[in-house]
Amino acid sequence: MNKLKELFKPLDLTKGKVWKVIVSFSIPILISYLFQQIYTIADAAICGQFLNENQVAGVNNTGNIVFIVLQFAFGCTAGFSVITSKNLGQKNIAAVKRSLSTQIILSLIISVLLTIISIFSINPLLKWIGLEKSVNPIQNEIYHSAYVYVFIIFAGSITQIFYNLISSFLRSVGDSHTPLVFLIISTVLNIALDLLFIAVFKMGVAGAAIATIIAQAISAIGCFVYTFVKYKEYRLTKSDFKLEKNSVINHFKLGLPLAFQFSILCIGLIVMQAVIVKFDTSTDGVVISAAAQNGFGAATKLNNFLMCPYNALGTAMLSYCGQNYGANETERVKKGVKDALIIAFVIYIICAGIGLLLTINGKYMKIFYSPEKISDLAIRYGNTYLYCDLSLYYILGILYVLRNSLQGIEKSLFPFIAGVGELIARTVLCLVLPAMINNGPINVNASKNALLGLTFADPLAWAVASAVLLYGAFKYIFNAKQKEHLYF
């Protein structure tokens, strides 16, 4: 029992051997991200087994559309948590409580606004990636499946926002285990509800979306209740919910740049998705296949799974740098970033190796689809994407480490500029390179080489963003010989 209590004891990130602290704090976060991907994989696998090919393609096409909204909210809550980490580093518990209450109010406002805006934006977003109502039965079924799934997810987005809020808060105070426990419970529940709604009740894509919302709601509520029961010092009273102008401004100064950055990245991915659909489209603009969409859909889900260690390391660096920033530990911030870049290289070797092994005979496809939905063409589309991304995966690791480290020391301008640069690079490359290589518009008859123009857009966009972040890191972290060089 004592060992269990020690496990759930918040970790002081300003003390201990740097690389060990970062790894120890990252592991529960990594497991959390893996379970979040199991969420996605469970939806995809169950949908792939019980729904038809067009319905599966509809769900696959929604990933980036959903992310553009939810990642905005996630960026906000992640940015907000930097204030909490800084206050904890200064040992100011009253300020930590004020930060939490401010985050709750702001997240509630953001939830309402995002839900309204996102629901009214569904059709324009779907049209952006080439999906709209049509007399063509294949295209119409793909569109309808995508619309239903996105509508339900957007309507219940408040559950995801508040889970991210409380998870970010707990990690900012050094507790990365509690969010993991509730996420595991939620994941198991999500899988059970998927099977119930889709396999038993035959609710189709709506069942998958409803199962996700219910599971996320339970996770968020449970995490909030547990937090206030366990951490008496963070319990809020009525007086804590009095908004202060300076507090709101400070939270938005860190939350909004990261939110826009995350959304900007999703816009770039949507542009890529729109080009992917063209590979399934005839010369007269009619969607006649789902091979490219399903091939990229499965490859993207595997890629997201392989990114989990980078996500975890980046999230850990956000809290690590935030706490040490508050404690004025300049050298410890510098040492932490250097160690994290080495850890990122180890992750690159492991994850790229695993990913490439799974491309053999399209093994990863079998996780998501029943055999009749897997074709040589779908495997070719998915494998080509993975070959390009995984070969240059370390660039992504650099991006995650530096982006979150700079955010943690309140240099949010550089992550924002990096996000804009990544968007521009990915958009231009996606729209120009495939057509240039193909010597004409992209359609189902496009050459194999045209696909390379699309798939290399990812790592080249990472490189652009990393260049911006490296400049910021050298200016404010690596060359910071005195504390005033690190902080304004």
Side-chain angles (χ1 to χ4, degrees):
M1 183 62 71
N2 289 333
K3 288 184 178 180
L4 189 62
K5 288 182 178 180
E6 282 296 317
L7 183 66
F8 283 85
K9 184 179 179 181
L11 189 63
D12 187 344
L13 303 178
T14 64
K15 298 178 181 178
K17 194 171 183 63
V18 172
W19 74 266
K20 287 185 178 180
V21 169
I22 294 172
V23 171
S24 298
F25 191 63
S26 297
I27 289 174
I29 302 174
L30 169 59
I31 299 173
S32 295
Y33 279 124
L34 290 174
F35 271 93
Q36 284 180 328
Q37 290 305 314
I38 290 174
Y39 255 11
T40 305
I41 290 174
D43 279 340
I46 294 171
C47 287
Q49 296 298 322
F50 293 99
L51 303 180
N52 66 42
E53 185 179 22
N54 297 327
Q55 291 172 321
V56 172
V59 174
N60 283 340
N61 284 329
T62 64
N64 292 326
I65 291 176
V66 169
F67 281 154
I68 196 173
V69 174
L70 295 185
Q71 288 297 305
F72 180 90
F74 178 72
C76 273
T77 55
F80 293 164
S81 70
V82 174
I83 300 290
T84 307
S85 295
K86 177 183 175 181
N87 290 332
L88 189 70
Q90 296 173 342
K91 310 300 180 185
N92 190 340
I93 301 302
V96 171
K97 289 178 62 179
R98 285 196 301 272
S99 175
L100 176 57
S101 63
T102 301
Q103 291 176 48
I104 291 173
I105 296 172
L106 295 182
S107 294
L108 182 60
I109 295 171
I110 290 169
S111 298
V112 173
L113 292 176
L114 274 184
T115 300
I116 295 171
I117 294 171
S118 61
I119 286 177
F120 281 102
S121 301
I122 293 176
N123 273 323
L125 288 172
L126 289 177
K127 188 174 182 179
W128 192 2
I129 63 170
L131 295 180
E132 53 187 324
K133 291 181 180 179
S134 171
V135 294
N136 177 273
I138 294 177
Q139 186 169 345
N140 200 54
E141 188 171 21
I142 293 175
Y143 160 80
H144 179 73
S145 299
Y147 184 93
V148 170
Y149 188 82
V150 172
F151 181 90
I152 295 172
I153 293 295
F154 283 171
S157 60
I158 188 172
T159 61
Q160 180 70 60
I161 292 170
F162 271 82
Y163 172 74
N164 285 334
L165 184 158
I166 192 62
S167 295
S168 295
F169 172 80
L170 286 169
R171 289 166 184 153
S172 69
V173 298
D175 182 355
S176 57
H177 288 90
T178 299
L180 168 60
V181 171
F182 284 97
L183 186 59
I184 292 174
I185 295 171
S186 183
T187 300
V188 173
L189 180 61
N190 185 67
I191 294 171
L193 290 175
D194 267 342
L195 291 169
L196 178 65
F197 293 158
I198 299 175
V200 179
F201 293 160
K202 310 296 182 184
M203 294 173 63
V205 295
I210 292 171
T212 299
I213 295 302
I214 293 174
Q216 287 173 345
I218 292 174
S219 181
I221 293 170
C223 211
F224 264 101
V225 171
Y226 181 84
T227 298
F228 291 131
V229 169
K230 180 180 179 180
Y231 298 105
K232 296 180 181 180
E233 65 271 29
Y234 302 138
R235 290 180 185 175
L236 303 176
T237 62
K238 186 177 180 180
S239 60
D240 291 318
F241 285 91
K242 183 179 179 181
L243 283 178
E244 298 177 357
K245 181 179 178 181
N246 288 338
S247 179
V248 172
I249 292 173
N250 288 335
H251 279 80
F252 273 136
K253 279 173 64 177
L254 289 173
L256 287 180
L258 201 58
F260 281 120
Q261 178 203 348
F262 283 8
S263 291
I264 283 170
L265 299 182
C266 291
I267 292 172
L269 295 175
I270 288 177
V271 173
M272 178 178 284
Q273 185 70 43
V275 178
I276 290 167
V277 174
K278 292 181 180 180
F279 281 92
D280 284 332
T281 305
S282 65
T283 54
D284 55 358
V286 178
V287 178
I288 59 174
S289 171
Q293 296 167 73
N294 286 338
F296 268 84
T300 299
K301 288 181 176 63
L302 174 61
N303 200 15
N304 289 339
F305 198 85
L306 294 172
M307 283 183 188
C308 286
Y310 282 152
N311 267 307
L313 181 60
T315 301
M317 291 307 295
L318 189 69
S319 297
Y320 172 87
C321 289
Q323 283 195 23
N324 284 282
Y325 167 69
N328 286 327
E329 294 286 350
T330 308
E331 290 301 316
R332 191 172 173 85
V333 170
K334 185 191 302 185
K335 173 65 173 169
V337 175
K338 289 180 178 179
D339 286 1
L341 289 172
I342 296 173
I343 295 169
F345 185 77
V346 176
I347 291 172
Y348 160 60
I349 299 298
I350 296 172
C351 290
I354 292 172
L356 291 173
L357 286 174
L358 288 173
T359 63
I360 299 174
N361 297 322
K363 290 180 181 178
Y364 62 95
M365 290 275 187
K366 298 175 183 178
I367 300 173
F368 306 105
Y369 306 135
S370 54
E372 70 274 7
K373 298 184 182 73
I374 301 173
S375 65
D376 290 339
L377 187 58
I379 292 174
R380 178 171 71 82
Y381 281 117
N383 281 6
T384 303
Y385 174 69
L386 289 171
Y387 294 153
C388 294
D389 267 24
L390 296 178
S391 62
L392 298 169
Y393 228 39
Y394 185 55
I395 301 174
L396 182 64
I398 295 172
L399 191 157
Y400 270 101
V401 170
L402 298 185
R403 179 174 67 193
N404 287 279
S405 298
L406 286 165
Q407 185 75 22
I409 62 169
E410 298 189 349
K411 299 296 178 288
S412 56
L413 178 62
F414 287 95
F416 179 73
I417 294 174
V420 173
E422 186 173 350
L423 169 64
I424 294 172
R426 180 178 279 111
T427 301
V428 171
L429 291 168
C430 284
L431 295 178
V432 174
L433 274 185
M436 182 184 298
I437 294 172
N438 194 52
N439 292 319
I442 298 299
N443 54 53
V444 73
N445 298 315
S447 70
K448 293 182 179 180
N449 290 335
L451 186 60
L452 292 174
L454 178 65
T455 54
F456 269 109
D458 249 2
L460 291 174
W462 301 338
V464 171
S466 295
V468 175
L469 295 170
L470 279 168
Y471 175 79
F474 274 102
K475 183 174 183 179
Y476 293 109
I477 297 177
F478 299 135
N479 292 331
K481 296 180 181 180
Q482 296 178 356
K483 294 178 182 179
E484 60 265 29
H485 291 162
L486 178 60
Y487 315 127
F488 284 126

